[in-house]
Amino acid sequence: MTKPALTSLSPDALAAWLASAGEPSFRATQILEWVWKKKAASYEAMSNLPAALREKLAASFHLAALEHTHTQGSADTTRKFLFRLLDGRYVESVLIPANPALYGESSDRRTLCVSSQVGCAYGCKFCASGLAGFTRNLDAAEIAGQVLAAEQLSGERVDNLVFMGMGEPLANLDNLLAAIELITGGKTLRLGARHLTISTSGLVPQIRQLAEHPQQIRLAISLHGATDEVRQQIMPINRKWPVAELFDALDFWNSRKNQKLTLEYILIENVNDAPEQAAILARHARRIHAKVNLIPYNTVEGLAWKRPSYTRCRAFRDILKNAGVSATLRLEKGGDIDAACGQLRLKQETAEGIISLAG
Ligand code: SAH
Ligand code: SF4
């Protein structure tokens, strides 16, 4: 059994631990500041803590839940970080400097894309994260720790957070909510809930549950097909939660939240890029007042799908626009660094023999 990470403690849990260790309660504020605000790299750096307390902390907790092992930079300054977890597994996060004009208004914001699981059980046919199946959930410290580490590594604040990395965040809802507490908490990372976007492949019961959550978190739906026929070819989850049930849950979401929903739609040649799909997608988007984010398919090693021509992508977008739907065609960011999440970790774990893609 390895030690837990200090970052897995909520402020209340830290206070309780200090009380049980016979330490005064004001130490909690000092420790939280060192960890989350000053982003201390070691216990030794926590200069206003007595040496005995630093030793007690070190004996009980790892300082961080993850260790940075590698950074991949791309020409457009998108950076991808690879992190090793305490059990030797890997996750990745992508820091995107200029906002792709989707999750906020300003263009000088930094968006971080974080992972919520190691691998993914949902097996979408176009996705690198699902390729090697599901390994495990990330805990709250491993999720929030990606933000902490990205800020530490870049020396900059993260303004926007999207849960679009590896894994299905709504299949790990308890840990996700605990992480969100750390990310938005006044004593921890202090990021506004409105700057958080959770992306889901469409887990209907959890969408309803999250709709009742008091914070104004944003939601993006990975739709990728406007009809059951097209969607279930590439997303097995559609057999469990077909399009109509998904949209009922989104109506419910809208009844509880006042932030616009986003529909994500990867364009894959000859799979989901027909004009008829665009027309049906436009009707769906209008009904739930959603904006649409079109993403030309990002090539994944080992998968045979192709990205449609730019002309065809634009034509798809124009059908949406002409129907009065706000639609953006995402310009590629980080295409040269395997930015489709899951690919870097897949390479690393395959190289180390932790997973095998053969057979
Ligand atoms: N499981 C969640 C969040 C992680 S996937 C979900 O599916 O929404 C985050 C986004 O990356 C999704 O919209 C997903 O469809 C997209 N994605 C996965 N593989 C991709 C690829 N090869 N090219 C472009 N986008 C991809
Ligand atoms: Fe999982 Fe999302 Fe990838 Fe589907 S797209 S396999 S749900 S990470």
Side-chain angles (χ1 to χ4, degrees), residues 36 39 95 103 109-114 143-144 146-148 150-151 156-163 179-197 215-217:
W36 297 104
K39 306 180 203 310
L95 187 62
Y103 306 104
R109 294 185 158 266
R110 278 167 302 276
T111 298
L112 184 72
C113 174
V114 294
I143 298 171
Q146 294 169 62
V147 185
L148 183 63
E151 291 192 342
E156 294 168 335
R157 282 284 286 169
V158 166
D159 306 292
N160 280 301
L161 194 57
V162 294
F163 292 88
I180 288 174
E181 244 180 87
L182 292 171
I183 290 162
T184 59
K187 293 176 178 172
T188 43
L189 283 169
R190 299 171 293 129
L191 193 63
R194 282 183 160 71
H195 300 286
L196 269 52
T197 301
Q215 289 180 298
Q216 286 292 335
I217 299 158

Side-chain angles (χ1 to χ4, degrees), residues 43-219:
Y43 286 111
E44 292 75 62
M46 303 182 182
S47 52
N48 59 358
L49 301 185
L53 174 55
R54 279 185 269 158
E55 274 161 33
K56 259 192 255 181
L57 284 169
S60 305
F61 305 103
H62 285 281
L63 182 52
L66 26 80
E67 183 196 344
H68 172 246
T69 60
H70 187 67
T71 299
Q72 241 182 346
S74 76
D76 61 16
T77 74
T78 293
R79 267 165 297 170
K80 187 172 208 169
F81 304 119
L82 185 68
F83 298 111
R84 187 168 41 231
L85 305 170
L86 294 174
D87 67 352
R89 307 305 298 226
Y90 288 87
V91 290
E92 56 200 67
S93 318
V94 184
L95 187 62
I96 307 153
N99 190 284
L102 297 169
Y103 306 104
E105 285 66 44
S106 154
S107 63
D108 60 354
R109 294 185 158 266
R110 278 167 302 276
T111 298
L112 184 72
C113 174
V114 294
S115 298
S116 56
Q117 301 181 313
V118 181
C120 182
Y122 288 82
C124 302
K125 300 280 189 340
F126 47 80
C127 176
S129 297
L131 265 183
F134 173 71
T135 302
R136 69 169 177 87
N137 282 327
L138 297 187
D139 67 22
E142 291 168 332
I143 298 171
Q146 294 169 62
V147 185
L148 183 63
E151 291 192 342
Q152 210 166 30
L153 290 163
S154 67
E156 294 168 335
R157 282 284 286 169
V158 166
D159 306 292
N160 280 301
L161 194 57
V162 294
F163 292 88
M164 294 186 183
M166 193 169 32
E168 170 48 57
L170 293 193
N172 184 17
L173 192 56
D174 290 347
N175 288 325
L176 179 74
L177 292 176
I180 288 174
E181 244 180 87
L182 292 171
I183 290 162
T184 59
K187 293 176 178 172
T188 43
L189 283 169
R190 299 171 293 129
L191 193 63
R194 282 183 160 71
H195 300 286
L196 269 52
T197 301
I198 293 169
S199 177
T200 179
S201 57
L203 276 66
V204 163
Q206 287 88 340
I207 290 172
R208 291 177 177 273
Q209 214 177 321
L210 195 63
E212 306 276 20
H213 186 77
Q215 289 180 298
Q216 286 292 335
I217 299 158
R218 291 173 189 261
L219 190 66

Side-chain angles (χ1 to χ4, degrees), residues 282 314-329:
R314 239 182 11 215
F316 196 96
R317 179 198 61 193
D318 290 344
I319 294 172
L320 292 164
K321 286 210 154 165
N322 292 337
V325 174
S326 149
T328 47
L329 184 56

